[in-house]
Amino acid sequence: MKVFFFFSVLQYHLESRQLVRHFHEQGATCEVHLAFTGRAVADAQEYYAKQGISCTSVGGDFCYVEAQGDDSKPPKPITTGQISALLAKSTYGLGRLAFDVKRIARTAGHYRRVRRGARTLLDRVAPDVVFQGSFLSCGRLDNALAKLCHDRGVACFGLPYTPVVGTRLSMEGRLTNMLCGMVKINHVYDPHNWLHRFIRVFFPDWIHFVKGVPLMSFVDYEMVAAKVAGVGEPWPWQKPSLHFDAFFVWTNQAKELVLEEPSRFPAAKVHVFGAPRLDPVAAVLQNGELEKKVRGNLGIRVPYVLLHISPAFEHRVLSREDHFRNVDMLCRIAKSSGQPVAIALHPLANPPDYLEIFQKYGVAFDRSLDITELFPLASVVIAHPSSTNYLASTFAKPLVAYDLQRELESEADWRIYAEGTPYRGFDEVTLREAFSRAQKDAAGVARSAPPPQACRQIFEFTHRFLRGESSPTA
């Protein structure tokens, strides 16, 4: 069996590398292709080289660029009222139309090169099955590869990097990112814009009302160019792609999110097999190896308070000054318990930016430790709203969620991003109070984990699928 793993974003590699390793150990011929840039590419290449797995990367023109905090471009939050006021003043003449037509033609030419790149890649590897993540943009190599697999009849399976995935969440996330200043307002339908009018007539389902705001999933001219170049999605809003033959999720709640309205993804193609990233944790928890590793790397005793720091600066939600003021406050609260404190950073974070504060409070950090290794040995977890918080339920940890930017608007949001925890902090005072209550419910070190099954089940499913056997949804 020849298997091609295409990772367009760092997190896809991090969540699925254990799956690659399992297929390799079972005798499959595996090749990994990295289509992202940034500091972590070399680490990923080194990981696969040690496993004896072929790993290549793509040129910068076809890559997703690693997000980084940028002091020169502080976030500029905006309200829906301000968006409406700006659109009311917008103008669109023949000059702008000519500019957009030229931009569409130029972009479509680039996307055709992307399509040729995907064709070259697929011809060279000639895989029996392709694994890749859900899409973050349009007209990219991952879009072209999935469509090409669909057209050629090559099995293409989708892998998530989070249990929080789905069309509705993608729509609401697009609006939230815009209001935070992370995304430009050119995703909002403008009735004065002739290109937008064209989209409304010929592709009306590209525009969707999200909390009363008419949004498009991607930038207008990019979606049109992708359609012209033949790499467009059947429905740009759909997460995961309709081109996938199967999509593997970690939890039953994740399956519900994938299938909820307005998703068009077939239920028969969604399979609950668990998180591959958790597979190696179970054995080392039970035999004491994990505790030995964590204690040795961090130099602290267990249990400890685990502090998961938000990537608000890296995602350009907060300025550097505001973000690191919050980090200082969080470390101060975590240390107030008298227990050791271990730190988990987002993969996009640049550790040297944080070391001064970590040294100031004497908290422990080791970038080689995965968050799945840190969760089981914690007594209490302090974390921002995050898709990794499902680990709190997995390992029965009191979760103190700090929502300093008030991201979670409803109880449904709290269930999805913070496991519905009752320990909630919105500022220093309420966070201290929530942390104090959570410490009373702390259960200490976990000695067990879910049985390692995700990689095995996905491997067996793939074998059955390629043999043409029926594979009921798990």
Side-chain angles (χ1 to χ4, degrees):
M1 177 168 53
K2 200 167 187 180
V3 188
F4 184 43
F5 293 90
F6 184 92
F7 298 140
S8 57
V9 179
L10 169 62
Q11 284 89 332
Y12 289 132
H13 151 69
L14 295 175
E15 292 295 347
S16 300
R17 59 187 175 183
Q18 188 64 29
L19 181 64
V20 181
R21 181 175 179 176
H22 183 84
F23 271 76
H24 177 69
E25 291 173 345
Q26 297 304 310
T29 301
C30 298
E31 179 168 333
V32 176
H33 194 77
L34 307 176
F36 55 88
T37 63
R39 298 179 296 266
V41 172
D43 292 341
Q45 291 172 329
E46 180 182 0
Y47 172 85
Y48 293 116
K50 287 181 177 178
Q51 308 300 324
I53 298 170
S54 175
C55 177
T56 58
S57 59
V58 72
D61 287 346
F62 292 167
C63 279
Y64 286 103
V65 178
E66 180 188 76
Q68 296 180 358
D70 187 349
D71 291 320
S72 67
K73 297 179 180 180
K76 296 181 179 179
I78 192 170
T79 66
T80 56
Q82 289 172 323
I83 292 174
S84 298
L86 288 172
L87 293 179
K89 299 177 182 178
S90 70
T91 58
Y92 194 93
L94 290 175
R96 176 64 186 277
L97 176 61
F99 173 78
D100 277 343
V101 170
K102 291 179 181 178
R103 187 161 57 171
I104 290 169
R106 183 173 61 251
T107 305
H110 173 68
Y111 289 170
R112 289 190 184 96
R113 292 193 295 275
V114 171
R115 186 179 62 184
R116 289 194 294 270
R119 185 183 301 119
T120 300
L121 201 57
L122 201 61
D123 288 343
R124 179 183 64 78
V125 179
D128 298 305
V129 60
V130 173
F131 286 88
Q132 64 177 95
S134 196
F135 309 135
L136 301 183
S137 189
C138 67
R140 302 298 183 98
L141 200 54
D142 48 6
N143 304 93
L145 184 63
K147 187 176 188 305
L148 192 59
C149 287
H150 178 77
D151 293 344
R152 291 186 178 184
V154 177
C156 187
F157 297 159
L159 296 168
Y161 68 79
T162 168
V164 182
V165 62
T167 302
R168 179 186 66 82
L169 294 176
S170 177
M171 291 174 168
E172 294 183 359
R174 181 66 72 194
L175 178 61
T176 298
N177 291 343
M178 186 182 303
L179 297 179
C180 289
M182 295 170 61
V183 176
K184 296 179 180 179
I185 66 168
N186 57 2
H187 290 69
V188 179
Y189 172 76
D190 179 359
H192 304 99
N193 187 313
W194 292 356
L195 179 57
H196 289 194
R197 291 182 184 180
F198 171 83
I199 290 173
R200 185 174 184 178
V201 171
F202 292 98
F203 308 106
D205 63 352
W206 290 8
I207 302 167
H208 195 90
F209 278 85
V210 182
K211 299 182 179 180
V213 180
L215 287 185
M216 294 175 288
S217 55
F218 305 116
V219 178
D220 46 20
Y221 74 90
E222 291 181 347
M223 289 194 295
V224 175
K227 192 72 173 179
V228 171
V231 295
E233 286 293 298
W235 185 37
W237 278 113
Q238 177 62 48
K239 286 283 190 78
S241 171
L242 294 172
H243 287 141
F244 290 153
D245 295 295
F247 190 68
F248 306 122
V249 297
W250 305 347
T251 65
N252 289 322
Q253 176 180 263
K255 179 178 180 179
E256 293 173 3
L257 294 175
V258 168
L259 297 177
E260 70 178 345
E261 293 289 342
S263 176
R264 302 176 184 179
F265 200 77
K269 291 185 177 183
V270 184
H271 305 267
V272 184
F273 286 153
R277 195 174 181 177
L278 280 181
D279 275 10
V281 175
V284 293
L285 252 184
Q286 294 164 354
N287 63 19
E289 290 182 12
L290 179 61
E291 186 169 339
K292 181 179 179 180
K293 175 184 178 181
V294 171
R295 289 176 62 184
N297 286 27
L298 293 179
I300 59 176
R301 69 179 188 275
V302 299
Y304 44 72
V305 175
L306 175 59
L307 173 58
H308 188 197
I309 293 179
S310 159
F313 172 58
E314 291 78 10
H315 282 172
R316 301 179 184 177
V317 175
L318 292 179
S319 66
R320 175 184 288 271
E321 180 181 2
D322 289 341
H323 175 63
F324 285 98
R325 184 186 300 114
N326 286 341
V327 173
D328 188 285
M329 180 261 290
L330 292 167
C331 289
R332 186 168 65 250
I333 291 175
K335 285 291 288 185
S336 68
S337 70
Q339 282 189 298
V341 176
I343 298 292
L345 283 179
H346 191 277
L348 293 179
N350 184 31
D353 291 343
Y354 293 80
L355 294 184
E356 182 178 347
I357 293 179
F358 292 170
Q359 292 167 359
K360 173 182 176 181
Y361 288 101
V363 298
F365 170 71
D366 187 314
R367 64 176 298 179
S368 70
L369 292 172
D370 191 85
I371 194 169
T372 59
E373 298 174 308
L374 294 171
F375 249 89
L377 305 179
S379 58
V380 177
V381 177
I382 304 175
H384 61 101
S386 168
S387 60
T388 59
N389 286 333
Y390 80 98
L391 294 168
S393 295
T394 301
F395 296 110
K397 300 297 177 184
L399 174 66
V400 182
Y402 60 92
D403 186 15
L404 304 181
Q405 275 72 57
R406 301 284 179 142
E407 300 174 55
L408 307 182
E409 299 178 354
S410 66
E411 283 301 313
D413 290 341
W414 279 95
R415 287 194 299 273
I416 293 170
Y417 295 101
E419 294 297 297
T421 180
Y423 311 114
R424 307 175 182 184
F426 305 96
D427 51 35
E428 183 169 357
V429 173
T430 56
L431 183 55
R432 283 186 180 278
E433 189 275 332
F435 182 38
S436 177
R437 287 191 293 115
Q439 290 179 81
K440 298 176 183 178
D441 296 334
V445 174
R447 301 296 180 187
S448 63
Q453 59 183 1
C455 294
R456 175 184 58 81
Q457 290 191 110
I458 293 173
F459 180 82
E460 292 174 353
F461 173 92
T462 303
H463 255 298
R464 294 195 304 269
F465 188 95
L466 294 179
R467 290 197 302 263
E469 300 176 9
S470 59
S471 302
T473 301

